[in-house]
């Protein structure tokens, strides 16, 4: 596997690949890789001749400086996992390579960025939009792979690709879960064994809420029962639980024929913020 830290080395390699008519897939990550990330690499490998995995903890998408400092980093293990998966290129730039000068551009994604993660983490999607744009420009992939685990991020990237006419095709991959149902996440590495057990409740309650909705229980009732449940467990602090239209990400009043609805949660377990979602098609 080639490991590049500079854009010019990376582009030199990709130019040769493109000259040989090889298609390129991009998996953008912040490292601390787990099987969820590797499932994106595998999807990319199945559709492209060259797969680039970027590992970059993007400072501009962290609204909470402590979260940035505590974000898990494990570069050597990450590179070993990527080698084992058969990834051809790892792009591991320093902050100074990605931001030779501080980024001034502000990206406003409108209503889809004003709810949930956008509301709780001001500036987050501006940071995501800028860094994903940079990666798409630098790498010019044929396909870019993103996980449904970050459902709102998928909507943002979809709009970014459309509005800025990037040629990459967005491929959305399903959420990989632990046996307990807990969505795999780099942040899970910060949880104690005890907290990991509690964290499994997040998926269990989401699945229960989905079944309640399907059995005809009203949205306000489902929301109230989730809020009441997590409020009585002192280790949890619910940030939001929302039931939204999958495309617009705006709240819905009820289930409608032909509409995809997403149940989205963000919750603190101790000082670790976890997100998850389930979709009803
Ligand atoms: P991150 O390193 O958290 O920025 O994630 C990099 C990519 O991996 C994003 O597109 C995520 O949505 C995706 N991802 C993270 N966790 C999972 C998971 N459990 N299953 C599938 N994809 C995931």
């Amino acid at each position: 596997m080639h490991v590049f830290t500079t854009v010019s080395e990376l582009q030199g390699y990709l130019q040769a690949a493109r000259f040989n008519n090889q298609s390129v897939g991009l998996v953008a990550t912040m490292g601390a890789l787990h099987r969820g990330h590797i499932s994106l690499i595998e999807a990319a490998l199945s559709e492209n001749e060259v797969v680039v995995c970027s590992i970059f903890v993007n400072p501009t998408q962290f609204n909470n400086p402590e979260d940035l400092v505590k974000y898990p980093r494990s570069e050597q293990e990450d590179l070993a996992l990527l080698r084992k998966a058969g990834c051809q290129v790892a792009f591991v730039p320093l902050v100074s390579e990605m931001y030779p000068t501080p980024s001034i551009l502000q990206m406003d994604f409108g209503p889809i960025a004003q709810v949930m993660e956008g509301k709780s983490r001001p500036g987050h999607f501006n940071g995501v939009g800028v860094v994903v744009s940079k990666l798409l420009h630098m790498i010019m992939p044929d396909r870019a792979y993103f996980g449904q685990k970050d459902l709102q991020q998928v909507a943002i990237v979809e709009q970014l690709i459309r509005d800025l006419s990037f040629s990459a095709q967005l491929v959305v991959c399903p959420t990989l879960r632990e046996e307990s149902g807990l969505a795999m996440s780099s942040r899970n590495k910060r949880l104690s064994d005890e907290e990991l057990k509690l964290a499994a409740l997040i998926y269990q309650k989401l699945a229960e809420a989905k079944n309640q909705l399907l059995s005809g229980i009203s949205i306000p009732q489902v929301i109230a029962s989730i809020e009441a449940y997590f409020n009585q467990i002192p280790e949890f602090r619910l940030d939001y639980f929302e039931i939204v239209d999958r495309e617009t990400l705006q709240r819905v009043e009820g289930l409608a024929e032909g509409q995809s609805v997403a149940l989205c949660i963000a919750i603190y377990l101790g000082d670790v913020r976890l997100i998850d979602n389930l979709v009803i098609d």
Side-chain angles (χ1 to χ4, degrees):
M1 184 173 72
H2 301 272
V3 181
F4 299 125
T5 55
T6 66
V7 179
S8 64
E9 289 169 309
L10 173 69
Q11 288 184 334
Y13 175 87
L14 291 175
Q15 247 164 30
R18 253 185 232 100
F19 185 75
N20 292 319
N21 282 327
Q22 293 183 312
S23 58
V24 177
L26 166 66
V27 178
T29 80
M30 298 203 298
L33 300 184
H34 49 70
R35 275 188 291 124
H37 295 117
I38 299 303
S39 73
L40 268 56
I41 300 284
E42 284 165 356
L45 282 167
S46 72
E47 295 178 316
N48 302 277
E49 274 118 359
V50 175
V51 173
V52 180
C53 178
S54 61
I55 299 179
F56 180 61
V57 183
N58 175 36
T60 68
Q61 71 188 67
F62 284 81
N63 58 313
N64 174 355
E66 195 183 316
D67 190 26
L68 173 61
V69 171
K70 289 192 176 166
Y71 199 83
R73 290 159 212 252
S74 52
E75 192 177 312
Q76 290 316 312
E77 285 99 320
D78 290 350
L79 295 177
L81 279 176
L82 291 177
R83 272 191 199 100
K84 195 164 153 228
C87 182
Q88 289 88 357
V89 179
F91 178 48
V92 194
L94 289 174
V95 173
S96 55
E97 182 71 12
M98 291 299 280
Y99 297 100
T101 57
S103 172
I104 292 167
L105 176 71
Q106 293 291 317
M107 286 187 165
D108 179 355
F109 290 91
I112 58 165
Q114 285 157 13
V115 295
M116 301 193 288
E117 293 303 285
K119 196 165 154 198
S120 290
R121 305 179 67 190
H124 171 65
F125 287 124
N126 173 62
V128 169
V130 170
V131 81
V132 172
S133 302
K134 280 175 177 278
L135 290 168
L136 292 176
H137 278 303
M138 290 166 178
I139 295 164
M140 292 195 286
D142 297 277
R143 298 177 193 83
Y145 296 78
F146 284 84
Q148 193 199 306
K149 156 100 182 352
D150 299 274
L151 186 83
Q152 200 171 2
Q153 175 170 273
V154 164
I156 295 285
V157 174
E158 215 165 38
Q159 193 172 320
L160 183 77
I161 288 179
R162 223 179 18 239
D163 280 11
L164 294 182
S165 306
F166 283 108
S167 57
Q169 178 200 335
L170 172 63
V171 183
V172 183
C173 302
T175 303
L176 248 75
R177 299 181 178 281
E178 304 289 354
E179 247 171 63
S180 66
L182 172 65
M184 291 181 184
S185 164
S186 304
R187 289 188 171 85
N188 294 352
K189 294 188 179 156
R190 294 185 49 209
L191 299 175
S192 66
D193 288 348
E194 214 39 55
E195 287 172 327
L196 274 172
K197 275 189 212 140
L198 280 173
L201 291 169
I202 301 168
Y203 172 73
Q204 283 169 26
K205 295 310 282 185
L206 268 186
E208 209 175 291
K210 178 173 171 176
N211 287 335
Q212 285 176 346
L213 282 178
L214 289 171
S215 71
I217 298 179
S218 77
I219 285 184
Q221 270 179 301
V222 172
I223 292 178
S225 87
I226 287 271
E227 287 176 350
Y229 183 81
F230 285 112
N231 285 342
Q232 45 99 32
I233 305 178
E235 287 84 353
F236 282 113
R237 184 162 59 85
L238 187 63
D239 184 352
Y240 62 76
F241 172 65
E242 303 255 8
I243 299 174
V244 299
D245 178 278
R246 194 213 166 129
E247 304 296 321
T248 65
L249 301 180
Q250 306 305 306
R251 287 180 185 161
V252 292
E253 311 263 294
L255 300 187
E257 196 67 34
Q259 182 184 34
S260 268
V261 161
L263 292 76
C264 302
I265 191 167
I267 191 162
Y268 287 90
L269 184 45
D271 67 346
V272 182
R273 189 171 181 280
L274 301 170
I275 61 169
D276 199 355
N277 67 81
L278 280 183
V279 170
I280 302 178
D281 281 314

